[in-house]
Amino acid sequence: MEDRFLGKQVSYPQEYAPEMLVAVPRHLNREQYGLKADKLPFMGYDTWHAYELSFLTNKGLPVTGLLKIVYPATNVSIVESKSLKLYLNSFNMHRFGNTAQEGLQLVLDTIKKDLSELLECTVELGFHTHANAPVASDFNDYTTLEDDVTTDKLSFDHFNEEPNLLTAGEQSGSLKLASHLLRSNCKITNQPDWGSAYIYIKGAVLPDQQALLKYLVSIRNENHFHEEICEMIYKRLWDIFAPVELAVSCIYTRRGGIDICPVRVSHQHLLPSNLTNAALLSEKLLRQ
């Protein structure tokens, strides 16, 4: 079902089309990492920014803006991205409401209902017109690995995920590390997905920073959805270093008018509060 639209030529629907939505069960990928729904080592959210939501009022006035979608990582499924794009574009020529505000409320109520039913959870939505300045990023105090380590002296030889690269350093306590070198490929089409990884880890044993950078680079040829990459990184760090606290956020570049930003954390207080709040539009990061 996950390849119903991916990699195929599909005509854009000209009228509201909820049947375009496709759910992909999370367990299909989690099983290979020993992740079980009733015993997940994380909580978190998947945050989506859809830049192409638009519709017409009953008088033909176009209304357009950025739709922010947030739903929990503990639900049973994700929404397949191309199906969401096709679904959202089905609103483009459909008419809702006598005024922009009335139409917007009808559209948001419809999308919330459709996605919540599809994903079997409560989906939060925010609609943003960029009229207000965005709030600051949640990741301003992270050290960028490729700027902090002597990358020119390192050899990078692995481009398929290699957890054995994750060796311990001499430091204990906590680290806030980022890399903008994250790249993976779409599970179905093999198209490259570019992103940034933000990692907070606290414990008696912490990863060597050069080793962590090599590991993140080794993901370069992996074929997974964005959410799956985030959970893979989290699970490797969780298993190898047994941290007291762990948070992994992957901020991906938009493709097809949508960006996907999964977050997985060990404790509620580690959630990036701006990114996971549908009502707030965060300052854009490098890869968005």
Side-chain angles (χ1 to χ4, degrees):
M1 197 65 173
E2 59 193 23
D3 61 350
R4 179 180 169 194
F5 299 125
L6 280 172
K8 300 173 183 176
Q9 265 197 323
V10 183
S11 297
Y12 281 96
Q14 295 303 304
E15 295 184 345
Y16 165 62
E19 68 275 8
M20 303 304 290
L21 289 169
V22 174
V24 180
R26 293 188 189 272
H27 74 83
L28 296 177
N29 185 73
R30 286 177 172 175
E31 289 171 352
Q32 64 184 297
Y33 301 109
L35 291 168
K36 298 181 179 180
D38 61 348
K39 201 175 181 181
L40 291 172
F42 55 70
M43 61 187 73
Y45 291 93
D46 294 334
T47 296
W48 300 55
H49 298 96
Y51 296 83
E52 298 177 0
L53 178 62
S54 185
F55 63 92
L56 302 176
T57 67
N58 289 336
K59 296 178 181 179
L61 173 69
V63 179
T64 188
L66 186 157
L67 178 69
K68 186 174 180 181
I69 304 168
V70 180
Y71 60 89
T74 49
N75 76 321
V76 296
S77 302
I78 63 174
V79 58
E80 190 279 302
S81 60
K82 188 170 182 180
S83 81
L84 181 65
K85 176 182 174 66
L86 293 167
Y87 165 74
L88 292 179
N89 274 273
S90 79
F91 287 85
N92 286 358
M93 299 305 297
H94 207 96
R95 296 182 183 234
F96 296 87
N98 293 320
T99 65
Q101 193 57 45
E102 181 181 302
L104 177 60
Q105 192 58 58
L106 288 169
V107 167
L108 293 181
D109 288 347
T110 301
I111 295 172
K112 184 180 179 73
K113 177 179 177 293
D114 289 342
L115 288 179
S116 294
E117 288 179 356
L118 179 83
L119 300 175
E120 301 177 59
C121 67
T122 299
V123 174
E124 300 298 336
L125 302 179
F127 187 77
H128 303 275
T129 62
H130 296 283
N132 298 318
V135 299
S137 162
D138 298 288
F139 307 105
N140 289 329
D141 55 347
Y142 281 64
T143 298
T144 303
L145 281 167
E146 53 268 27
D147 294 340
D148 199 51
V149 302
T150 54
T151 49
D152 289 340
K153 296 180 180 179
L154 298 180
S155 294
F156 296 86
D157 304 310
H158 298 273
F159 300 105
N160 288 100
E161 196 248 348
E162 182 47 76
N164 290 329
L165 290 171
L166 288 169
T167 56
E170 298 179 357
Q171 191 174 350
S172 62
S174 65
L175 291 171
K176 283 186 171 182
L177 301 170
S179 177
H180 304 304
L181 304 185
L182 182 64
R183 196 202 91 149
S184 54
N185 301 306
C186 174
K187 195 175 193 176
I188 306 300
T189 67
N190 291 322
Q191 288 181 294
D193 293 317
W194 304 93
S196 300
Y198 293 88
I199 297 168
Y200 165 77
I201 184 168
K202 178 180 179 181
V205 181
L206 299 177
D208 175 83
Q209 294 187 38
Q210 293 185 358
L212 179 58
L213 181 61
K214 286 186 175 183
Y215 170 74
L216 293 174
V217 168
S218 81
I219 295 169
R220 197 171 180 84
N221 278 333
E222 286 297 314
N223 296 326
H224 288 291
F225 293 139
H226 303 68
E227 302 89 339
E228 297 170 353
I229 291 291
C230 186
E231 292 184 1
M232 179 183 71
I233 295 171
Y234 184 100
K235 187 62 161 56
R236 298 304 194 199
L237 294 170
W238 185 260
D239 288 347
I240 293 171
F241 299 105
V244 176
E245 293 182 341
L246 179 62
V248 177
S249 302
C250 294
I251 310 298
Y252 275 94
T253 301
R254 77 181 77 164
R255 185 144 59 82
I258 294 172
D259 72 43
I260 305 170
C261 306
V263 173
R264 303 294 182 265
V265 302
S266 59
H267 297 81
Q268 181 86 18
H269 71 272
L270 298 177
L271 287 169
S273 58
N274 297 325
L275 180 65
T276 58
N277 186 339
L280 299 176
L281 191 61
S282 301
E283 180 181 282
K284 292 301 173 192
L285 298 166
L286 178 65
R287 283 300 193 181
Q288 285 183 291

